[in-house]
Amino acid sequence: MTRKISNFVVGAFAVALALASSSAHAHKLRKQGERVAVAKEAFFVTPTRDWNELSISAGKNDENWSLDGRQLNDVTFFGGIPAGSPLVRETSSKNDPLPKFGANTLIVEVPELLEGTYRTAKKSGSFQVLSTEPGTFLGHDGVIFTYQFSDEDSLTRKGEARAAIISGKLYMMTFDAPRLNYFDKLVGEFRALADSAGLK
Amino acid sequence: MAAPVVFAASAPLPPPYAGIYQPQGVDEAGWWREDDESERSLAASPLVIRDEKLTAYVKKVLCKTVGNDRCNSVRVYIIREPTFNASMSPNGTLRVFSGLLLRVRSEAELGGVLGHEFGHFERRHTLQHFRSARSGTDMLAWATVLASIAVAASPHSAYAIRDNYHDLQLSVYGNIYRHGRDQEREADHLGISYLNNSSLRPQAFSVVWQNFMAETEASARVRGLQKPNFKAIAFTASHPPDAERAGYLAELAAPEGAGRDEGADRYREALATWLPVFLDDQIKLNDFGGSEFIIESLAQNGWTAGLWFARGELYRTRGNQRDLVNAADFYSRATALDGSMADAFRGLGLSLMKIGQRTEGQAALKTYLKLKPDAGDAKLIGMMVPKEEVVK
């Protein structure tokens, strides 16, 4: 019995290592000053410092960037979410359905949409929108909002987002980081990145 | 003077209270050390609701159920987590989830669930299972290593792998916390015998299970599932809410206790300030069927402005055109009952605008801004109103 278990463990290790070696291209460097298309070329940004594009993304139309890893700072680009789609990938549409962006969703409801998404997808028991202000994003009228939440690791995070609805699709950038140290330290970098965003 | 109390024949009397207990043996001492550590981080967690009055009230209901001696060995933590759950760990930490407080209707119902958890604690069921589950935690350690390698390896499936690992972690811990059928029955018997001995109505305990089964079925129906998956819910995975259980709990309840007070009014009063918050958390879970069931059962005592508002939010969040028409109706009922409920005017305004009734929608939004001029989204809503007027 013990031998069987140890064989299983060795086998599983081999599979995991094989997977590891097959994808050495894990992340990409996004260099300062180089204009780059994000989220399936939905829009463009010009970073004012070096960032890492992560090899994972939260959803089909999304792209994630970070400096120190997603738990410490996470920029998510939502590139033109069409009506009827959730913001991030659904793990189970029947057991854990996510709220959908709708054709009739108003810009003032976007913070609620993100809240419903985080509460289900990140299993965040508490989420609080701190402020909602009109603003521009990608040259269109939109919303700038801030929020605070704790998810399963019980760490309080702060977030800031800019969003606009353009031709019936939702475009958004969010920045999440632990409230302690990381958010205040890097929110300026996020704002610079969001300021540089353009459709062409 | 008092007539001797006769209890239902099959519900045993609670055991004599043994006083402060100290862990014995290496297994139990180690388990308590882990548990103390876990309690330390729980005490500092942002998810704990720091409302002394509410915490004291929940503790009082526990004391009322199990008696003052017993309940002194317990520390109560109320966790803001909108699922139906409560658990008690070996060192006497009682975790009560806000979702449980939203679902029970009286002190007797809450007391039944807390008494059941206390029963596991008093009989030290967790320790017995811990001993049999140590091989399970060895497996968990290996899974951690493999999952972290796989996350680094696979660019697109990292979310899924993290989830799988998380599920595994839940299921292994679930096995530790899952009690055997016999232990469940024993805790049920103890829970009901505490209630039989208390001043609360013991028949209420069985109602908790009946309501929860009905809610889970309502939730599954709306999702298009044929049968509810009780194993997917943390609490019911270890506490199967079957009809047999509701049946024997009803039988074991002392018949002479049927006339006792359930403490429903006191419960409502104690929860009054938190109910809107817990309802809001529930609505944002995207569980339409379950949330609708909860709102309707709360409304059995009469529809309040708060309940109409919650129902409006639920329908507006789902957001089909037909939902928006209903939402507008529910918000109007809320504002008719309470003309100062700013958020109901906001919901009403947004719903009306989305179903094409712009003028009325704008009027409602203006009332919202008048009632709550410093609302977080006041500027944005303020821009919406004149802009729409210009368009017209």
Side-chain angles (χ1 to χ4, degrees), chain B residues 209-220:
Chain B
W209 295 113
Q210 289 164 10
N211 282 342
F212 190 61
M213 279 190 284
E215 180 202 323
T216 317
E217 276 156 18
S219 162

Side-chain angles (χ1 to χ4, degrees), chain B residues 5 7-8 61 64-66 104-115 188 191-211 246 249-267:
Chain B
V5 185
F7 299 111
V61 173
K64 239 184 214 180
T65 311
V66 302
V104 294
R105 305 274 166 271
S106 64
E107 290 184 356
E109 289 187 18
L110 178 62
V113 176
L114 300 184
D188 272 344
I192 199 82
S193 78
Y194 295 137
L195 269 186
N196 283 345
N197 276 293
S198 73
S199 58
L200 298 167
R201 186 173 178 266
Q203 282 72 12
F205 193 14
S206 144
V207 176
V208 177
W209 295 113
Q210 289 164 10
N211 282 342
L249 285 174
E251 273 173 30
L252 290 174
E256 65 280 2
R260 287 188 213 147
D261 183 24
E262 283 202 19
D265 293 340
R266 288 192 300 273
Y267 186 80

Side-chain angles (χ1 to χ4, degrees), chain A residues 23 55 91 95 104 109 112 132, chain B residues 153 163 223 316 321 354 376:
Chain A
S23 57
S55 56
T91 48
N95 288 317
N104 59 14
E109 292 177 310
E112 295 170 32
T132 311
Chain B
D163 280 349
R223 286 169 195 217
R316 181 172 64 85
Q321 288 303 109
K354 292 209 274 187

Side-chain angles (χ1 to χ4, degrees), chain B residues 40-295:
Chain B
R40 261 193 289 278
S41 61
L42 174 69
S45 167
L47 295 178
V48 171
I49 294 176
R50 289 167 211 289
D51 176 344
E52 285 178 30
K53 227 170 119 190
L54 181 70
T55 311
Y57 176 73
V58 172
K59 176 99 191 254
K60 202 174 94 187
V61 173
L62 175 72
C63 294
K64 239 184 214 180
T65 311
V66 302
N68 286 330
D69 281 353
R70 284 184 163 79
C71 89
N72 279 338
S73 54
V74 178
R75 278 96 47 220
V76 175
Y77 296 89
I78 300 172
I79 299 172
R80 187 156 169 199
E81 162 66 53
T83 46
F84 179 102
N85 208 350
S87 71
M88 189 143 180
S89 57
N91 75 348
T93 313
L94 176 61
R95 292 165 170 86
V96 178
F97 284 35
S98 58
L100 171 68
L101 298 179
L102 177 66
R103 283 167 178 85
V104 294
R105 305 274 166 271
S106 64
E107 290 184 356
E109 289 187 18
L110 178 62
V113 176
L114 300 184
H116 169 98
E117 290 305 319
F118 190 88
H120 283 308
F121 163 73
E122 184 155 6
R123 289 296 187 179
R124 296 200 287 287
H125 285 161
T126 317
L127 178 69
Q128 294 164 23
H129 257 255
F130 172 59
R131 289 192 170 130
S132 66
R134 265 183 308 196
S135 57
T137 52
D138 293 346
M139 188 174 87
L140 191 69
W142 280 112
T144 313
V145 175
L146 295 177
S148 59
I149 292 173
V151 166
S154 143
H156 300 297
S157 58
Y159 259 63
I161 289 192
R162 235 185 91 206
D163 280 349
N164 288 343
Y165 164 61
H166 187 74
D167 288 348
L168 183 64
Q169 192 181 34
L170 277 183
S171 79
V172 173
Y173 285 146
N175 279 328
I176 292 175
Y177 282 109
R178 181 175 294 143
H179 304 291
R181 257 208 140 154
D182 294 343
Q183 292 182 334
E184 276 302 306
R185 204 165 287 129
E186 189 179 19
D188 272 344
H189 283 205
L190 275 173
I192 199 82
S193 78
Y194 295 137
L195 269 186
N196 283 345
N197 276 293
S198 73
S199 58
L200 298 167
R201 186 173 178 266
Q203 282 72 12
F205 193 14
S206 144
V207 176
V208 177
W209 295 113
Q210 289 164 10
N211 282 342
F212 190 61
M213 279 190 284
E215 180 202 323
T216 317
E217 276 156 18
S219 162
R221 256 200 312 280
V222 172
R223 286 169 195 217
L225 297 169
Q226 286 190 328
K227 270 196 296 195
N229 180 9
F230 287 118
K231 287 194 175 149
I233 303 163
F235 188 72
T236 52
S238 56
H239 298 79
D242 48 38
E244 179 207 335
R245 176 174 225 156
Y248 73 65
L249 285 174
E251 273 173 30
L252 290 174
E256 65 280 2
R260 287 188 213 147
D261 183 24
E262 283 202 19
D265 293 340
R266 288 192 300 273
Y267 186 80
R268 256 198 305 279
E269 202 187 312
L271 266 288
T273 49
W274 282 102
L275 192 69
V277 179
F278 295 165
L279 257 180
D280 190 46
D281 286 353
Q282 168 66 32
I283 285 163
K284 285 170 178 156
L285 283 181
N286 299 307
D287 174 9
F288 187 89
S291 303
E292 175 85 334
F293 179 89
I294 290 173
I295 293 170

Side-chain angles (χ1 to χ4, degrees), chain A residues 178-196:
Chain A
R179 182 178 56 180
L180 192 68
N181 184 37
Y182 287 93
F183 183 84
D184 291 335
K185 199 170 118 190
L186 293 168
V187 69
E189 302 288 351
F190 166 74
R191 286 176 188 150
L193 193 62
D195 285 342
S196 79

